[in-house]
Amino acid sequence: MKPPPFEYVAAHSVEEALDVLVTHGWDAKVLAGGQSLIPTLNFRLAAPAILVDLNPVSELAFIEANGMLRIGAMTRQRTLERDETIARLAPLITAAMPHVAHPQIRTRGTIGGSLAHCDPAAELPAVCLALDATLVARSQRGERAIPARDFFFGLFSTALEPDELLTEIRIPPMPPNTRYAFREVARRHGDFALAGVALTLQLDEAGRIRAPRVALFGVHDAALLSESAMRLLDGAAPSEALVREAAEAVAHDIEPSSDIHASAAYRTHLAKVLTARALRDALGDALGHATE
Amino acid sequence: MRAIGSSLSRVGAVEKVTGRARYPGDLNKPGQLYMKILFAGRPHARIVDIDLTAAKQVPGVVAILTAEDVPVNEYGLIIYDQPVLCGDVVRCVADQVACVIAETEEAAIEARDKIRVVYEDLPILTDPIAAMHPDAFVIHPERGESNLLCHYKIRNGDVEAAFAEADVIVEGVYHTPFQEHAYLQPEAGLAWLDGDQVVVNVAGQWMHEDRQQIAHALGWPEERVRVEYSAIGGAFGGREDMSVQIVLALAAIETGRPVKIVWTREESIIGHHKRHPMTIRTRWAATYSGRLLGVEAEVIADAGAYAYTSTKVLGNAHLCVTGPYEWPAAKVDSYAVYTNNIPTGAFRGFGAPQGHFAAEMQMNKLAARLGLDPVVLRLKNCLREGSQLTTRAHMPPGVSLPHVIEAAAEGAGWKRPDGSFQKPTLPPSDAPHIKRGIGFACAMKNVGFSFGFVDECWAQVELHGGGEIEEVVVRCAGADVGQGAHTVFCQMAAEAVGVPVERVRLVAAHTDETPGSSGSSSASRMTFYAGNAIRGAAMRALKLWHDEIRPAVGTYRYRPRATTPFHPETGEADPNVSYGFVAEVAEVEVDTELGFVHITRVMCADDVGKAINPRLIEGQIEGGVVQAAGYTVLEHFQVRNGEVLTRHLSTYLIPTVYDIPDRVESIILEYPDPQGPWGARGMAEMPFIPLAPAVASAVYDATGIWFDELPLTPDKVVATLHASQSTDQHE
């Protein structure tokens, strides 16, 4: 199918894009990589009056590391996947990227597009939650920094106001002894996840888990942190029993939906299994050999 | 270099990969109109009123066709049980109710959506077993007093005595699902008038049958209909029946202008038939030593709302449900039943995959039960030269099945140096939740049409030149649906005439160029039938050439010996002319926590008689295995109350290159078929057939659980494994 008619503006700067947004509000849609928006238009599931194309805005495509890792919203997903700075400072992103659709899609798709679109099965929102990222939004009213945990509201719904543009993602440096893991399951390689988990945790000098961040996706109306699992893990000594208990606990926090690909019950089952696997990946040797 | 036996590049390959090949949807003519079809979208309803007023007012609308515009409003490959356009009752969501022809596609869409049809919904039957109930309402009252489309029997030998005498009895109930063909190219076509002819350019499988069906509905003589085939983007049986052919012809005649139609993927998924879901109950009786004594089976196939080729598909399942084995006694009842589901029909394997799923699972269960090796058990019981079928006919000469079984076993490391057979042991996975397993299955399938159908193929060979043959023109209408038929036609013609293949030119574009029918590109028959026809025509042409006649033109109509239908009470029949044989070994990894079945390796031994083009054969084997892998573990066509829930390729998932088996190894065997051209047999369906039971048996090997219902989706696998664990705990 073809999209419904729309007006098109190619923005060459953030200011130009913000001008359009402030004028048109909800009637405008931002075009980043277009990998979700264009199919949505072609299926006529959305009919925005005007599209603001950010692709010419070169100032939004950057990766900078200066204490804080800063990623421009228009950075392509393929770039995230291959960038050495990211592999060094935020290897969870590197681990997650091959699961995001297919190379052709990642070549066009952007980090900001995925976060602002907020598909419940998308990987990058969960990765941002696990990394405790901050999302920077700009409007003509100014700039505000939104912690990832306050950004993803629900199905295709975020903290962004209609006049705001997501410009940058800031990721704090990982303390030493930080562990991470990423796991997901899809019916086919590259499809939206049936369930997935991205997590980080630290091990203190006594070998106890500190600051666990267990983010789940595909099993709720948006990516979310499993507070129940995190409470159990925080301060606990790693053990197989703890892994299983934490994995069971994620079920308290999620409300998966049933659809043509999987039932809610199966998604819950997957969330538990994947959480356990991701925790084992992250804890690795810290789990010891005596546990089983 | 000999013309046959060489992996010559496929005719049209460069055009296809460079985008220059023209598929029906690429064709345009000046002044053309566009057509959209209004589908019923409801499974069973009476049409109370069709109001076209608003639709006709849409600017650009030229004509709207309804049932009253169809001169002879019926079609069907085997039975004329389907209206071209429904006027009184719709019986499934895929029924076509009206066609809008407009100056633009957008106008046609807008007008289609403004047609107001008032329906009175009727009760629906979507379960074939419920539809067989004597009290069930009748979906086609004009066709009799029940929903039974057909019932075949086999009564051969004393089955009761066999079960009384049996040391072991193995029973099972098997369920197989719908499957969508999902060819790359959705249905499309262009029709126009040329003098007193209507020309329909489409992608089909049998242009002379398309012509017959169109002419019948128009009430025209066949000579006034010309069917042309452009490049065809896959078929797999899905283009055997009519889709856009008849309505395109009607539209061109009605408007006097060229009319084009291109179906969307959603229209394609709704608009053509699917593979038959079947429920199969079966019991096998055997001795401790592994000798088969007797079999009982009941096959119930959901035919959907119209017959399509259901009677023939059911016939194949009827024959295959007892497997490629010798049986002293057999009692089989098979039923195809009308329902209000989307119609079902031809799909690669044509009833053989369903029948063999039950038979080969039974065979592996019997082996497990007896503690015998499944290869040994098969070799003990399989059809061989001179064997009798359950229909009492003797197998046609050239039964290579024992060799095929051995070759697959040997290729998979199943045969030991001392010549004995033992299932290879796979190294265990490092991950405790990954279980590995290996499974075996084999199959047979007819090549060419069956059960009394008069199957034939026409070809003509013209030899041009003076002292030497400079050009060979071959006329043979057989459709190249992507399998490479046209390439092997040229190779076989070159071989028969004795010239390099570059001197051969094939003419196969439309019905007027090829007055004789070549039959359908289905039933794995094209190489076998066209090869015999082309060789026959070449021999005649060569004789004339030697008599100094220029050009020397030979025509030949290949018609093999006649077959016979099932006897209504005993099932006695000589069902087929020729068979293909195949055996497969599948290795899987089952993630017992997530439920995913990953096929790591498939070894396929396929007897092709003579490999005319080995690379094309490997393509057929790999393609067949991949398609069957989708059928077995991934594809899940979902229907609820007659409505199709999986209408897009985002919901009906077919394997991508990332999801296919890790390795597919082809073992091409060449045991000649005495009737085949240069010994060649049909082969293209065979690799599909045994994969599902081989994989399900490998899953049993890995987990100790028999999965008797396809597909093996992960949620089902997890639920079943969990249920079995909790049962174990209770015991």
Side-chain angles (χ1 to χ4, degrees):
Chain A
M1 282 224 278
K2 294 170 189 167
F6 55 82
E7 250 188 273
Y8 170 87
V9 176
H12 291 85
S13 66
V14 171
E15 283 67 32
E16 269 183 50
L18 293 179
D19 277 347
V20 178
L21 292 182
V22 81
T23 313
H24 294 274
W26 292 116
D27 292 335
K29 258 312 220 184
V30 175
L31 175 63
Q35 300 303 295
S36 298
L37 180 57
I38 299 299
T40 306
L41 296 182
N42 286 350
F43 275 114
R44 307 216 167 190
L45 298 173
I50 184 162
L51 285 195
V52 195
D53 186 353
L54 293 187
N55 284 279
V57 186
S58 52
E59 62 188 289
L60 286 179
F62 62 86
I63 296 170
E64 285 176 21
N66 194 357
M68 181 77 78
L69 176 63
R70 296 173 55 227
I71 304 172
M74 283 299 289
T75 306
R76 304 289 168 186
Q77 292 161 1
R78 194 71 167 154
T79 308
L80 301 180
E81 184 180 354
R82 293 168 158 184
D83 186 83
E84 285 177 14
T85 307
I86 285 183
R88 188 160 40 83
L89 297 179
L92 177 62
I93 295 179
T94 314
M97 291 320 295
H99 296 272
V100 179
H102 298 283
Q104 294 90 329
I105 289 172
R106 297 199 291 276
T107 300
R108 283 303 290 172
T110 64
I111 183 170
S114 176
L115 297 174
H117 182 57
C118 196
D119 188 297
E123 292 81 359
L124 282 166
V127 167
C128 284
L129 286 170
L131 291 173
D132 200 16
T134 297
L135 285 71
V136 179
R138 266 176 66 186
S139 68
Q140 290 186 346
R141 295 174 287 126
E143 185 176 285
R144 62 183 181 127
I146 309 164
R149 64 190 315 154
D150 298 331
F151 186 83
F152 307 106
F153 279 6
L155 188 68
F156 307 125
S157 157
T158 69
L160 288 175
E161 296 293 332
D163 64 341
E164 279 183 318
L165 193 63
L166 176 62
T167 54
E168 178 180 330
I169 294 87
R170 292 181 188 154
I171 296 167
M174 294 203 305
N177 288 322
T178 298
R179 308 282 186 98
Y180 67 90
F182 185 90
R183 288 269 187 169
E184 80 164 59
V185 169
R187 280 299 268 128
R188 292 184 304 189
H189 184 97
D191 280 356
F192 279 116
L194 297 180
V197 57
L199 63 84
T200 62
L201 52 85
Q202 293 151 36
L203 290 175
D204 67 15
E205 284 173 4
R208 290 181 182 277
I209 296 169
R210 297 293 173 196
R213 301 183 68 81
V214 179
L216 295 152
F217 58 101
V219 288
H220 202 74
D221 61 4
L224 84 165
L225 290 168
S226 172
E227 304 283 356
S228 303
M230 285 152 57
R231 267 196 304 277
L232 279 169
L233 293 165
D234 200 4
S239 74
E240 180 60 26
L242 176 71
V243 165
R244 289 183 186 193
E245 207 184 340
E248 285 296 316
V250 301
H252 300 310
D253 301 334
I254 58 176
E255 282 180 44
S257 54
S258 290
D259 66 16
I260 202 116
H261 298 303
S263 67
Y266 180 58
R267 282 197 159 90
T268 302
H269 170 77
L270 293 178
K272 293 186 208 172
V273 173
L274 294 177
T275 301
R277 288 187 185 179
L279 284 170
R280 289 188 199 109
D281 292 344
L283 292 168
D285 54 325
L287 268 179
H289 301 287
T291 48
E292 276 209 90
Chain B
M1 192 166 69
R2 281 189 67 178
I4 65 168
S6 304
S7 291
L8 299 179
S9 289
R10 181 195 296 241
V11 171
V14 172
E15 289 77 5
K16 282 183 179 170
V17 298
T18 54
R20 275 184 284 138
R22 282 150 63 85
Y23 294 85
D26 300 323
L27 303 180
N28 295 294
K29 276 194 175 285
Q32 72 192 13
L33 298 166
Y34 296 84
M35 179 160 68
K36 291 302 279 186
I37 292 170
L38 176 67
F39 291 93
R42 57 186 67 211
H44 198 202
R46 187 173 312 287
I47 298 174
V48 178
D49 185 45
I50 302 181
D51 182 355
L52 304 177
T53 317
K56 282 182 171 164
Q57 284 165 0
V58 173
V61 169
V62 175
I64 302 179
L65 304 177
T66 59
E68 59 199 40
D69 301 304
V70 190
V72 182
N73 195 4
E74 60 177 25
Y75 74 102
L77 279 194
I78 290 169
I79 301 165
Y80 292 126
D81 68 346
Q82 184 163 12
V84 177
L85 294 173
C86 291
D88 49 359
V89 173
V90 297
R91 298 172 189 84
C92 66
V93 293
D95 266 328
Q96 302 183 9
V97 175
C99 301
V100 180
I101 303 120
E103 297 287 347
T104 65
E105 195 172 33
E106 289 74 16
I109 291 170
E110 188 185 342
R112 177 200 62 192
D113 295 343
K114 287 190 171 163
I115 297 174
R116 276 198 57 248
V117 185
V118 180
Y119 291 104
E120 176 194 331
D121 282 319
L122 297 170
I124 60 169
L125 283 167
T126 55
D127 172 6
I129 293 169
M132 287 169 77
H133 194 276
D135 295 340
F137 70 84
V138 178
I139 294 169
H140 287 275
E142 76 288 358
R143 293 200 36 80
E145 289 173 4
S146 88
N147 291 311
L148 207 54
L149 172 59
C150 57
H151 172 197
Y152 300 129
K153 299 178 184 177
I154 287 173
R155 301 287 183 272
N156 186 359
D158 190 341
V159 174
E160 269 182 43
F163 280 89
E165 175 194 343
D167 296 324
V168 289
I169 295 172
V170 173
E171 297 187 53
V173 183
Y174 302 91
H175 299 276
T176 66
F178 286 104
Q179 189 183 17
E180 154 64 20
H181 305 80
Y183 23 69
L184 277 177
Q185 178 222 327
E187 288 78 354
L190 183 69
W192 65 94
L193 300 179
D194 182 6
D196 69 344
Q197 274 190 322
V198 63
V199 185
V200 181
N201 190 308
V202 288
Q205 292 181 231
W206 185 359
M207 58 173 73
H208 290 80
E209 176 66 22
D210 286 2
R211 180 174 70 171
Q212 190 276 326
Q213 295 274 325
I214 295 166
H216 178 81
L218 297 179
W220 283 19
E222 287 185 33
E223 304 77 62
R224 290 190 58 201
V225 178
R226 189 164 93 219
V227 174
E228 299 184 354
Y229 282 178
S230 299
I232 300 166
F236 315 115
R239 300 191 202 274
E240 189 141 68
D241 300 78
M242 299 305 101
S243 55
V244 297
Q245 287 89 333
I246 298 171
V247 286
L248 270 176
L250 284 167
I253 293 165
E254 173 74 20
T255 61
R257 289 169 63 181
V259 178
K260 176 172 180 164
I261 190 167
V262 181
W263 273 2
T264 63
R265 179 60 64 178
E266 185 175 4
E267 288 169 326
S268 175
I269 287 180
I270 298 295
H272 68 252
H273 64 269
K274 305 290 165 263
R275 187 188 295 284
H276 290 76
M278 294 192 192
T279 298
I280 298 174
R281 288 169 189 280
T282 184
R283 300 168 74 209
W284 286 23
T287 66
Y288 284 128
S289 66
R291 192 161 50 84
L292 299 180
L293 297 175
V295 57
E296 277 184 1
E298 180 194 70
V299 179
I300 298 175
D302 183 350
Y306 300 100
Y308 283 70
T309 48
S310 285
T311 56
K312 303 291 183 179
V313 174
L314 185 76
N316 250 6
H318 190 57
L319 194 65
C320 293
V321 72
T322 50
Y325 305 109
E326 285 194 311
W327 289 101
K331 175 177 184 285
V332 185
D333 287 276
S334 299
Y335 307 88
V337 189
Y338 282 124
T339 66
N340 295 113
N341 285 326
I342 196 164
T344 47
F347 196 148
R348 198 180 205 160
F350 205 72
Q354 296 97 320
H356 279 91
F357 180 62
E360 290 300 277
M361 291 293 279
Q362 286 284 108
M363 198 59 169
N364 288 334
K365 288 179 186 179
L366 179 62
R369 181 83 168 274
L370 295 172
L372 289 175
D373 184 86
V375 173
V376 173
L377 189 59
R378 283 180 170 80
L379 288 172
K380 203 180 182 87
N381 291 287
C382 73
L383 295 169
R384 53 192 68 238
E385 210 66 79
S387 288
Q388 253 187 322
L389 289 161
T390 52
T391 65
R392 304 180 197 215
H394 288 276
M395 288 293 284
V399 183
S400 56
L401 185 58
H403 302 298
V404 174
I405 291 171
E406 285 209 32
E410 197 165 351
W414 206 299
K415 192 173 184 180
R416 292 193 295 190
D418 66 1
S420 65
F421 293 95
Q422 190 181 24
K423 187 182 75 185
T425 316
L426 301 177
S429 162
D430 293 338
H433 54 269
I434 300 288
K435 305 290 183 204
R436 291 185 173 148
I438 184 165
F440 195 98
C442 61
M444 64 167 184
K445 188 187 173 287
N446 58 297
V447 175
F449 283 16
S450 313
F451 313 123
F453 183 88
V454 180
D455 203 359
E456 61 180 30
C457 183
W458 180 94
Q460 186 175 68
V461 171
E462 301 168 15
L463 306 178
H464 297 268
E468 70 169 312
I469 298 169
E470 288 159 15
E471 189 188 32
V472 179
V473 177
V474 180
R475 292 173 195 274
C476 183
D480 192 327
V481 294
Q483 84 280 45
H486 288 177
T487 310
V488 301
F489 291 179
C490 294
Q491 288 182 260
M492 294 189 294
E495 183 80 14
V497 175
V499 297
V501 75
E502 294 74 29
R503 291 191 202 165
V504 178
R505 184 163 65 85
L506 179 69
V507 176
H510 62 75
T511 44
D512 287 1
E513 289 181 338
T514 50
S517 168
S518 63
S520 181
S521 277
S522 52
S524 301
R525 64 183 284 289
M526 218 60 254
T527 300
F528 185 100
Y529 277 74
N532 278 324
I534 288 168
R535 193 163 69 159
M539 293 304 122
R540 287 182 176 171
L542 280 173
K543 187 168 180 306
L544 298 173
W545 179 267
H546 293 308
D547 294 343
E548 305 290 331
I549 293 169
R550 302 289 183 274
V553 181
T555 61
Y556 192 84
R557 190 181 299 272
Y558 172 67
R559 187 181 278 190
R561 70 179 166 80
T563 58
T564 60
F566 296 113
H567 182 279
E569 293 307 321
T570 65
E572 208 167 324
D574 182 6
N576 291 301
V577 171
S578 166
Y579 291 88
F581 303 101
V582 63
E584 282 172 0
V585 179
E587 294 178 13
V588 302
E589 287 183 353
V590 183
D591 185 324
T592 55
E593 289 180 337
L594 300 177
F596 278 67
V597 175
H598 178 62
I599 305 169
T600 50
R601 183 187 184 203
V602 176
M603 176 74 62
C604 175
D606 192 347
D607 179 14
V608 306
K610 171 71 191 171
I612 306 293
N613 186 317
R615 190 164 59 199
L616 288 178
I617 284 171
E618 272 180 27
Q620 287 297 305
I621 292 177
E622 291 171 8
V625 165
V626 165
Q627 199 167 37
Y631 179 59
T632 307
V633 301
L634 178 63
E635 297 176 33
H636 191 194
F637 194 85
Q638 298 180 56
V639 176
R640 190 187 300 144
N641 297 329
E643 298 276 353
V644 177
L645 305 182
T646 44
R647 293 165 170 238
H648 303 99
L649 293 180
S650 55
T651 48
Y652 184 76
L653 305 181
I654 60 171
T656 73
V657 71
Y658 295 108
D659 310 295
I660 62 178
D662 294 344
R663 283 161 71 195
V664 178
E665 293 162 56
S666 305
I667 302 174
I668 299 172
L669 301 171
E670 295 186 305
Y671 294 96
D673 183 328
Q675 304 170 85
W678 298 275
R681 304 172 186 266
M683 58 73 56
E685 291 163 289
M686 314 316 159
F688 188 103
I689 301 166
L691 190 78
V695 167
S697 300
V699 171
Y700 167 76
D701 188 41
T703 64
I705 305 290
W706 292 107
F707 286 86
D708 295 344
E709 180 179 352
L710 298 174
L712 277 68
T713 50
D715 49 348
K716 190 193 298 173
V717 171
V718 163
T720 310
L721 292 178
H722 277 209
S724 79
Q725 279 163 7
S726 48
T727 315
D728 290 349
Q729 282 160 9
H730 285 297
E731 278 170 359

